[in-house]
Amino acid sequence: MPAKRTQNTSANGKTAPLSGHSARKATSPNTSQDIRARFLAYFEERDHQRVSSSSLIPPSDDPTVLLTTAGMQQMIPYFLGRMTPPSTRLTSVQKCFRTTDIDEVGDASHLTFFEMLGNFAVGAYFKREAIAFAWDLLTKVYQLPPDRLAPTVHPDDDEAPGYWQEIAGIPADGITRLEDNWWGPPGASGPCGPDSEIYYDRGAEFGCGEPDCAPGCDRCERYLEIWNLVFMQYYQDTDGTRTLLKQPNIDTGMGLERLTMVLQGKNSVFETDLFRPIIDKFATLAHTTYGENAEHDRALRVIADHGRALVFLAGDGVLPSNTGRGYIFRRVLRRAVRYGKMLGLEGLFLAEAADTVIDLMRGHYEELVTRRDQIVDVISTEERRFNQTLTAGLQLLTRELDALAKAGKREVPGELAFKLYDTHGFPVELTAEVARERGMTVDRAGYDGAMQRQQDQAQGGHVFVREHEEEAWTKVSNALPTTSFTGYEGTLGSSEVVAMLVNGKPADEASAPQEAALVLAATPFYAEAGGQMGDHGVIGSQTGIFQVSDTQRPVPGLIVHYGKMIEGHLRVGTEVRAEVDANRRRAIMRNHSATHLLHRALKDILGEQVHQQGSLVAPDRLRFDFNMTRPMTVEELREIDRHVNSAVLANSVVHTETMPYREAVATGAMALFSEKYGDTVRVVTMGTSKELCGGTHVAATGQIGLYLTTQEAGTAAGIRRVEALTGTGAETFVHRRNDLVSNLAGRLQTTPDALADRVRQLQDELADARRSLNNIQRSQAREEAARLAASPTEVNGVPLVAAVVSAPDTQALQEMSDAIRNRLGSGVILLAREGDGQAQFIVTIDDALTKRGLHAGKIAAVVGERLGGRGGVRPDSAQGGSKDVRNLRSTIAEARALLA
């Protein structure tokens, strides 16, 4: 083991106190607001530009992670040279979400949602300056005792230890070398490098007492990691290969919650002002007090963390679902609800406490205030939904666990865990938690197998054909500048082919009839984004023509044209002419501009709490998803159409301008939850609609033409969807409907204006005819019943009536059986009918015969089996049926032998 710093000796050799009490006295009171503000101010004073926290939803062009897990994620395009940063020195407080340790949440330090303080350098400085900034901030600004701070480095890093000795005066044996001092990319690939972590010594009372106890000790909680300085030097491919970046970068991350815990002298992050108001709110709702009961305290910590996390997830537009980040939301909420039940909390307690979280965090996250109604609506809808299934799921699981325990088994079968999830919406993680409390485990392999079988059946073997290209495009993009998009000015352009893939691999040439993917230095083709579909068209030169069937952005900064060589060949370096399908682009522009007007109309009519949750802008239609817990009324849908068409008729000029993000939002421009915006944004204004948008639009709203809503429906809990048509698509729809109405009117011998009255008249006549027919059929059935009752068959002295009758439905069959029983007195009745290709039968036996041992259910079971179906179980009356009618008459004819 490498030499360690003597734990009770400071950097200057003086003896340092070890008690947590002494350490706490050395710090001054700090509010979390103050800690956050002082961090940002420190780096702004040192020429770092403050950047806003990005959304918890990563940008659509980052498929590597479901949620934002670190402050460096929004910096990756800068580190890789794909985008030019607003400054080479940056600082932020980033919202982060991790579920890696969700089962540990409830102890003193583990969280799902947390805030990460960070400073970043894009080639501006490296290890020495990063270490100097960290030491200066911690010891002089936050006034942490230097002897309490202990750095660690990677064993292969020979530079960082020297800087720690030079800047902080820490001796070599006081710097711990740890193998895990390496920061890997958030996903399968990305920038990485060695790091230096700074630990805070909480005191001997938190230690394990072992002589080798040091930072990184996994036996105790003495050393708390508070800041990680990452030296970004490499890019790591999915196969683990590392190559040097164009320039070394700095990425640091310090958890606000842990730093606040240290500065406020607390033993747990949950005792700080970041959590205590939330805990106290839940404790009040549960009629308990934090600190009185260990089991209750853990439950309060869990729901405090989860409740806070849900507010931020909903605030950034994450919606509950059974896949992806939506499943994470659902899992966190369900876990919180279960712990709330342990405290006796009922109703919508998470939604009720949302305002406490919002009030606590509004100082730095003002968007929580503006999105308050959306947040409460999403949480309460999902909480209400889960409450309806939780009780049933827990009862079923408890019964199953009791049965397993009685049988001496300690593992929950995977099929059972999947059934609980599939049928009752009971997450496997929750099943595992409940089982663990009873000393049992869950067969996760069996569960995963059952889940996979269901997915295979649902997907039918669907695969994503371009998934394997991501790594190739990442390598290509590292050697290329950002693709210049020229499509706002028009649909034509000239440029150079700078890269291509053929069969998913980099190539220098593509020839007809090969499929390929081309990158141009500049392009008028719009890459799919923000719901707008990618452009189609052609790219060509004197040597060949490439048909573009899709345009995508597989990695940040790169626009890729997918398609097929239809003539000749193209090579990398060739000058080409790029021509977008202009008619298709114009149709997309009409629909895209209409979505902006629709969004504004929904807010004006339904309320400002309505927010876009997804969209599709295609050439032939538009689709718009938004948050709402109920269907829209017919009048609301009509009002939407009137509102949008009024804006169209106003023929407002569509203005676009570029401005800083903060300025754009301050002017009232709408920013979408799911989108990532840079510091400079494009603002699109048309009438009263004003949104941040990078898509293409019409020049004036009048170019949209007729707008027509065609459908409104629910797509998920709390989400509604509007589908609509514009321009020629809407006109074609109206013409087809007019033709349909005219044809129907002609067939019904009336006019279009009188069509509704004529249909009602025909419906009334049809209803009268059906009633008359039904009366005739029932009269015939009564006569048939009388004939059958008059001539029963005797079987061992027991009267038997068995026949296939002409009853029109099951009710008539029952009435015939009752009529025969009333006339017959005592006996066995077996009646059957055939209808809609199915067989139905009924067996009736009076009480006197059931006491002698005859059983209607047993007879029905045998009849059902012979028909290939099944029958009931009651002794006096039983029904049954089958989808196979071939053996119906022969089976009923054998009733005498069956009864005998």
Side-chain angles (χ1 to χ4, degrees):
M1 212 174 161
K4 302 289 192 303
R5 173 183 175 187
T6 305
Q7 303 307 326
N8 63 346
T9 304
S10 68
N12 59 16
K14 296 180 181 179
T15 302
L18 287 181
S19 71
H21 176 71
S22 298
R24 288 191 290 273
K25 285 184 66 178
T27 63
S28 59
N30 295 274
T31 67
S32 55
Q33 293 260 32
D34 176 62
I35 295 168
R36 193 190 287 116
R38 281 198 286 168
F39 180 90
L40 293 170
Y42 177 87
F43 283 102
E44 284 181 309
E45 290 167 1
R46 287 153 182 81
D47 299 324
H48 289 66
Q49 181 172 324
R50 182 194 299 202
V51 293
S52 301
S53 170
S54 61
S55 168
L56 286 174
I57 301 178
S60 57
D61 53 14
D62 182 4
T64 59
V65 289
L66 288 174
L67 292 166
T68 301
T69 61
M72 58 83 65
Q73 277 175 241
Q74 67 171 315
M75 308 297 170
I76 290 178
Y78 307 147
F79 290 160
L80 296 179
R82 295 175 186 160
M83 296 177 63
T84 302
S87 169
T88 56
R89 296 178 177 224
L90 303 166
T91 185
S92 70
V93 179
Q94 174 63 48
K95 299 175 287 188
C96 299
F97 198 100
R98 298 178 187 173
T99 57
T100 309
D101 301 316
I102 191 171
D103 292 333
E104 306 303 321
V105 171
D107 63 8
S109 60
H110 284 92
L111 304 170
T112 53
F113 172 84
F114 60 96
E115 296 175 77
M116 186 171 285
L117 312 172
N119 61 289
F120 310 90
V122 186
Y125 57 81
F126 203 45
K127 295 181 183 180
R128 190 185 192 286
E129 294 86 346
I131 291 172
F133 284 144
W135 187 255
D136 184 59
L137 178 63
L138 291 175
T139 59
K140 294 182 180 178
V141 177
Y142 291 130
Q143 298 182 356
L144 286 174
D147 52 288
R148 293 286 175 179
L149 301 175
T152 65
V153 297
H154 191 268
D156 296 335
D157 189 345
D158 296 325
E159 293 179 300
Y163 292 135
W164 278 114
Q165 294 175 61
E166 173 194 342
I167 295 166
I170 299 175
D173 62 357
I175 302 170
T176 306
R177 294 178 179 269
L178 298 174
E179 285 289 344
D180 61 0
N181 274 109
W182 184 274
W183 177 262
S189 61
C192 62
D195 62 54
S196 181
E197 298 175 357
I198 304 173
Y199 284 79
Y200 179 77
D201 183 357
R202 302 176 66 199
E205 66 268 35
F206 294 96
C208 57
E210 298 296 328
D212 63 346
C213 183
C217 178
D218 57 6
R219 298 184 299 265
C220 65
E221 298 179 352
R222 176 171 179 170
Y223 294 96
L224 181 72
E225 179 200 340
I226 57 173
W227 204 347
N228 189 6
L229 315 179
V230 183
F231 311 126
M232 291 288 184
Q233 296 173 261
Y234 305 98
Y235 181 87
Q236 179 173 300
D237 290 331
T238 53
D239 61 3
T241 302
R242 293 172 185 157
T243 55
L244 283 171
L245 294 172
K246 295 177 182 177
Q247 80 270 319
N249 306 297
I250 287 295
D251 154 39
T252 83
M254 176 159 55
L256 173 65
E257 292 78 9
R258 290 190 178 187
L259 179 62
T260 303
M261 167 185 159
V262 169
L263 292 177
Q264 292 184 357
K266 305 297 184 181
N267 291 330
S268 162
V269 296
F270 292 99
E271 296 174 11
T272 68
D273 65 351
L274 284 165
F275 280 100
R276 194 54 192 264
I278 306 172
I279 287 178
D280 290 343
K281 175 64 176 180
F282 284 121
T284 299
L285 293 175
H287 305 292
T288 187
T289 302
Y290 185 68
E292 292 185 348
N293 180 293
E295 185 177 346
H296 287 181
D297 288 351
R298 177 176 174 79
L300 285 168
R301 289 192 293 267
V302 170
I303 60 177
D305 167 81
H306 290 5
R308 188 173 82 140
L310 292 167
V311 166
F312 276 92
L313 286 172
D316 276 356
V318 178
L319 299 172
S321 69
N322 286 333
T323 58
R325 63 181 67 94
Y327 180 69
I328 293 174
F329 184 103
R330 183 160 282 171
R331 178 186 176 190
V332 170
L333 182 138
R334 291 175 173 182
R335 194 170 188 265
V337 169
R338 178 171 174 267
Y339 274 93
K341 298 295 184 187
M342 293 169 59
L343 291 170
L345 288 170
E346 300 292 341
L348 307 181
F349 64 88
L350 289 171
E352 185 174 349
D355 282 327
T356 301
V357 178
I358 294 171
D359 289 341
L360 185 63
M361 307 299 286
R362 66 188 301 164
H364 190 72
Y365 300 103
E366 196 60 35
E367 70 269 18
L368 296 181
V369 180
T370 59
R371 300 170 184 171
R372 184 262 175 197
D373 292 343
Q374 156 81 357
I375 292 168
V376 174
D377 185 47
V378 171
I379 294 176
S380 60
T381 299
E382 181 64 14
E383 193 173 3
R384 185 180 298 108
R385 186 172 181 270
F386 184 53
N387 277 335
Q388 295 171 354
T389 61
L390 178 63
T391 302
L394 280 174
Q395 289 175 347
L396 177 58
L397 177 58
T398 300
R399 288 197 300 270
E400 295 290 350
L401 293 178
D402 289 341
L404 289 170
K406 190 174 181 180
K409 298 179 180 179
R410 314 302 300 170
E411 184 178 66
V412 178
E415 290 287 349
L416 171 60
F418 179 73
K419 176 185 175 184
L420 282 165
Y421 165 73
D422 195 40
T423 306
H424 299 280
F426 210 77
V428 65
E429 295 83 7
L430 204 50
T431 298
E433 279 194 25
V434 177
R436 186 165 55 248
E437 290 169 1
R438 299 183 56 163
M440 296 182 178
T441 60
V442 173
D443 174 18
R444 289 301 294 264
Y447 171 86
D448 292 340
M451 175 70 79
Q452 188 62 51
R453 285 191 292 276
Q454 185 194 63
Q455 291 175 348
D456 289 344
Q457 292 172 0
Q459 294 178 358
H462 176 70
V463 295
F464 295 95
V465 295
R466 296 179 186 164
E467 187 175 1
H468 65 283
E469 294 181 0
E470 180 190 332
E471 184 176 346
W473 283 127
T474 300
K475 290 180 178 179
V476 169
S477 68
N478 288 336
L480 295 175
T482 299
T483 306
S484 175
F485 176 62
T486 61
Y488 293 133
E489 290 75 36
T491 56
L492 299 175
S494 297
S495 187
E496 175 189 356
V497 179
V498 294
M500 68 172 65
L501 295 189
V502 177
N503 295 324
K505 297 179 180 179
D508 293 326
E509 183 180 59
S511 302
Q514 286 182 317
E515 293 186 353
L518 272 58
V519 180
L520 308 183
T523 179
F525 284 76
Y526 183 84
E528 180 175 326
Q532 179 174 331
M533 296 183 69
D535 280 333
H536 294 182
V538 293
I539 295 172
S541 72
Q542 293 181 346
T543 66
I545 299 175
F546 180 77
Q547 185 79 46
V548 180
S549 58
D550 193 13
T551 310
Q552 294 287 331
R553 198 185 299 266
V555 293
L558 208 63
I559 296 178
V560 178
H561 311 79
Y562 289 90
K564 183 177 183 178
M565 289 297 306
I566 59 174
E567 184 180 311
H569 69 275
L570 290 177
R571 293 183 58 83
V572 173
T574 302
E575 288 291 328
V576 293
R577 177 179 172 84
E579 183 175 349
V580 176
D581 182 335
N583 289 332
R584 184 176 182 275
R585 164 76 80 81
R586 282 192 289 268
I588 289 175
M589 289 161 61
R590 287 194 292 268
N591 284 332
H592 198 163
S593 297
T595 63
H596 283 227
L597 299 181
L598 172 60
H599 195 181
R600 185 66 262 167
L602 289 167
K603 283 179 171 290
D604 289 344
I605 294 167
L606 302 178
E608 286 293 332
Q609 77 281 357
V610 170
H611 295 287
Q612 178 177 334
Q613 302 298 336
S615 68
L616 171 69
V617 182
D620 59 334
R621 70 194 189 283
L622 68 89
R623 188 178 72 207
F624 190 88
D625 295 347
F626 59 99
N627 58 297
M628 191 172 179
T629 56
R630 63 168 178 82
M632 293 177 66
T633 65
V634 173
E635 181 53 37
E636 285 171 338
L637 288 169
R638 288 175 180 166
E639 184 60 27
I640 290 292
D641 281 21
R642 285 194 290 266
H643 199 293
V644 175
N645 282 309
S646 176
V648 170
L649 291 173
N651 197 26
S652 302
V653 174
V654 177
H655 294 283
T656 60
E657 55 184 324
T658 301
M659 64 179 71
Y661 174 82
R662 290 179 180 275
E663 180 183 334
V665 173
T667 65
M670 283 191 289
L672 305 184
F673 291 158
S674 58
E675 293 296 315
K676 172 180 168 57
Y677 299 101
D679 292 317
T680 302
V681 294
R682 187 167 179 264
V683 180
V684 179
T685 304
M686 53 186 85
T688 59
S689 168
K690 192 172 190 178
E691 292 191 27
L692 307 187
C693 181
T696 58
H697 291 275
V698 297
T701 58
Q703 295 176 1
I704 294 172
L706 175 65
Y707 168 91
L708 187 65
T709 298
T710 58
Q711 185 178 4
E712 189 271 351
T715 62
I719 303 298
R720 307 296 299 179
R721 170 174 292 173
V722 165
E723 296 191 24
L725 301 172
T726 67
T728 55
E731 291 172 10
T732 300
F733 181 88
V734 170
H735 289 319
R736 287 176 178 171
R737 286 294 173 92
N738 282 339
D739 291 344
L740 176 63
V741 170
S742 297
N743 289 336
L744 285 174
R747 292 175 65 89
L748 298 179
Q749 298 179 335
T750 187
T751 63
D753 290 341
L755 183 59
D757 291 337
R758 177 60 173 154
V759 169
R760 279 193 292 271
Q761 177 189 352
L762 292 174
Q763 286 176 326
D764 292 341
E765 292 175 2
L766 180 60
D768 290 341
R770 284 174 173 168
R771 280 193 292 271
S772 298
L773 178 60
N774 188 266
N775 291 335
I776 292 172
Q777 289 175 330
R778 275 174 161 68
S779 176
Q780 292 175 340
R782 286 192 294 271
E783 293 177 2
E784 188 175 4
R787 288 196 301 271
L788 291 171
S791 56
T793 302
E794 292 280 335
V795 181
N796 297 332
V798 176
L800 168 66
V801 174
V804 178
V805 297
S806 57
D809 51 38
T810 305
Q811 182 179 351
L813 190 67
Q814 179 71 61
E815 291 172 356
M816 288 183 70
S817 180
D818 292 343
I820 293 172
R821 183 178 59 187
N822 292 336
R823 289 175 176 269
L824 201 61
S826 178
V828 176
I829 305 165
L830 170 57
L831 300 182
R833 67 175 291 273
E834 179 182 345
D836 300 324
Q838 298 186 26
Q840 296 171 321
F841 62 87
I842 183 170
V843 181
T844 305
I845 300 177
D846 63 281
D847 292 341
L849 293 177
T850 59
K851 292 177 182 178
R852 289 173 52 184
L854 288 175
H855 195 288
K858 292 180 179 178
I859 296 173
V862 175
V863 172
E865 182 180 357
R866 292 187 179 184
L867 292 175
R870 57 183 180 179
V873 296
R874 287 178 52 191
D876 58 336
S877 180
Q879 297 184 17
S882 172
K883 294 182 180 180
D884 189 348
V885 300
R886 290 175 297 178
N887 300 322
L888 178 60
R889 296 188 180 278
S890 61
T891 299
I892 301 303
E894 295 171 359
R896 178 183 175 85
L898 176 61
L899 184 60

